[in-house]
Amino acid sequence: MNKYDFPPFEDKVIKALKSASKVIIIGHKKPDGDCYNSQLAMGNLMQQIGCKEVILANDGPFEREETKAVEHLFEKKLTNEMLSDNPLLILVDCGELSRIGSFENQVRGLKTVVIDHHPTSLNQGWELSYIFKNSTSTTLLIKKLYEKLNVEITLEVAKQLFFGFATDSGFFKFVSPTNGVAIREAADLVEIGVSPSETMAQMNGGKPYDYLKNTCKLVERTKFVCDGAIALSYFRKTDEGECPSDNYYTQIMNVEGVKAVCVFKEGDNNVNLGLRANYNTTFNVSEFAVKFGGGGHVKASGATIDGEYDEIVNRVTSAIIEEYNKQ
């Protein structure tokens, strides 16, 4: 058996989903393409199997350009009415309540189903879950759920599922050797009618000129440590426009010798860390992010740290150097 073959769903998970008459579907804050598309696809699935009320909620912020068009579909606050009648909570693309932001205390105690591919979710002890760390994206897990429940994958849903896969695979860049399973699953969606070139344009096109200028700004600010193996850059609150961290990761990891990248983005009394690792390093940025209250993938992760900017940057930089030198 290939380690990337999807495991079967437990009967109790399927039963919980089929019997739900009201669900709240929540993804992690600061949603990326895999997160919000998992929510959308899961919401459609629940409607198709007869769930009477489906509520999509995400604490945001919807910072990425492609998320702006769907932001209005997600609740930012959960009212008492939404929480009434004991709804089933479905967590997608995260398995820690601490990652869903302001909803954490409101939904604690609700019957919960978790669908996720982050390895950190395996340690949370969920009774009802479908967590497969070897899946390239959460949307691929939801695709398997559609198939399990014999629900048609329409073109609209196929686009959502493919976008999530494309996001978390770096448009196939992070697909591991022997993981032909992921390629075949993606091919199914293309057969339905998804256009990979259109998806690529949605992910990377339509950016304002300032996006390119800010990419250059991040490049100019780059500091190399560990003999050039680690690249560090930053984006301050006073910087105008969007922080083009994804574009920066792509460019800077093409530099010879770079094994991992960290971007510090200053927020309101906090700092967001964006971490990426190249294919040819054993540096596990997911494990590193967990130490700072975050998480993610082995090759892509992040964290939000409360506190003063300079102190956090110095502390994290020292920790990265120490951790990398252990490899």
Side-chain angles (χ1 to χ4, degrees):
M1 180 177 176
N2 189 310
K3 69 177 182 178
Y4 296 105
D5 290 339
F6 293 90
F9 289 90
E10 291 187 286
D11 291 341
K12 61 183 179 180
V13 172
I14 299 302
K15 181 179 179 181
L17 295 174
K18 283 186 172 182
S19 62
S21 60
K22 181 177 182 178
V23 297
I24 300 174
I25 303 173
I26 301 180
H28 60 75
K29 57 187 179 181
K30 297 180 182 176
D32 59 6
D34 191 31
C35 178
Y36 77 81
N37 279 296
S38 292
Q39 289 187 256
L40 293 172
M42 193 68 206
N44 176 75
L45 176 65
M46 293 307 299
Q47 290 175 334
Q48 296 304 313
I49 64 173
C51 185
K52 295 179 180 178
E53 186 173 0
V54 176
I55 299 166
L56 304 178
N58 196 292
D59 200 35
F62 288 74
E63 296 178 325
R64 297 168 183 262
E65 191 65 31
E66 69 272 14
T67 66
K68 303 292 174 56
V70 299
E71 181 176 4
H72 68 284
L73 300 175
F74 297 88
E75 302 291 342
K76 304 301 192 323
K77 295 182 179 179
L78 293 177
T79 65
N80 290 334
E81 182 178 354
M82 293 176 186
L83 292 163
S84 65
D85 302 321
N86 197 29
L88 175 69
L89 173 65
I90 303 177
L91 294 181
V92 297
D93 205 38
C94 71
E96 301 99 335
L97 290 178
S98 60
R99 295 191 65 207
I100 65 173
S102 63
F103 307 126
E104 177 180 356
N105 293 327
Q106 288 184 285
V107 302
R108 190 178 296 277
L110 290 179
K111 184 177 181 179
T112 303
V113 172
V114 175
I115 302 176
D116 190 24
H117 69 138
H118 294 99
T120 51
S121 295
L122 292 167
N123 304 322
Q124 304 303 310
W126 295 107
E127 179 184 357
L128 300 171
S129 66
Y130 187 61
I131 302 169
F132 183 44
K133 68 177 183 178
N134 289 336
S135 177
T136 306
S137 70
T138 296
T139 55
L140 290 189
L141 300 181
I142 294 174
K143 176 181 182 290
K144 304 312 290 183
L145 188 54
Y146 268 80
E147 295 168 356
K148 171 68 176 179
L149 295 172
N150 295 313
V151 175
E152 179 189 5
I153 298 177
T154 64
L155 179 56
E156 179 182 6
V157 171
K159 288 180 178 180
Q160 294 164 356
L161 299 176
F162 189 88
F163 197 103
F165 163 78
T167 297
D168 272 20
S169 70
F171 221 93
F172 297 88
K173 285 187 298 184
F174 303 133
V175 176
S176 302
T178 76
N179 190 5
V181 175
I183 306 299
R184 287 189 289 272
E185 296 293 340
D188 288 345
L189 302 172
V190 174
E191 291 285 353
I192 292 172
V194 173
S195 167
S197 58
E198 180 181 325
T199 304
M200 174 67 86
Q202 290 174 342
M203 290 175 61
N204 299 316
K207 303 293 187 184
Y209 179 60
D210 284 346
Y211 186 86
L212 180 59
K213 290 199 295 184
N214 282 340
T215 302
C216 296
K217 186 180 293 185
L218 287 175
V219 171
E220 291 173 353
R221 292 172 173 176
T222 300
K223 172 185 176 183
F224 293 98
V225 296
C226 300
D227 296 324
I230 307 293
L232 309 167
S233 193
Y234 62 90
F235 200 79
R236 302 300 298 265
K237 284 198 303 183
T238 52
D239 291 322
E240 297 182 358
E242 181 182 355
C243 176
S245 52
D246 287 337
N247 196 32
Y248 171 72
Y249 299 138
T250 299
Q251 301 303 321
I252 208 68
M253 286 202 293
N254 286 329
V255 175
E256 183 179 5
V258 171
K259 304 293 186 181
V261 183
C262 178
V263 173
F264 300 96
K265 183 182 177 184
E266 184 181 19
D268 295 324
N269 301 313
N270 60 39
V271 177
N272 299 315
L273 306 184
L275 297 153
R276 296 293 185 273
N278 231 327
Y279 73 95
N280 58 353
T281 180
T282 59
F283 186 20
N284 188 323
V285 294
S286 175
E287 292 180 355
F288 182 82
V290 167
K291 296 178 181 179
F292 292 92
H297 311 284
V298 172
K299 300 296 184 184
S301 65
T304 300
I305 307 172
D306 293 331
E308 193 269 328
Y309 176 82
D310 289 331
E311 186 277 329
I312 292 171
V313 170
N314 291 333
R315 176 157 50 96
V316 172
T317 299
S318 297
I320 288 177
I321 294 171
E322 180 181 357
E323 187 67 28
Y324 181 79
N325 287 335
K326 294 178 182 178
Q327 307 304 306

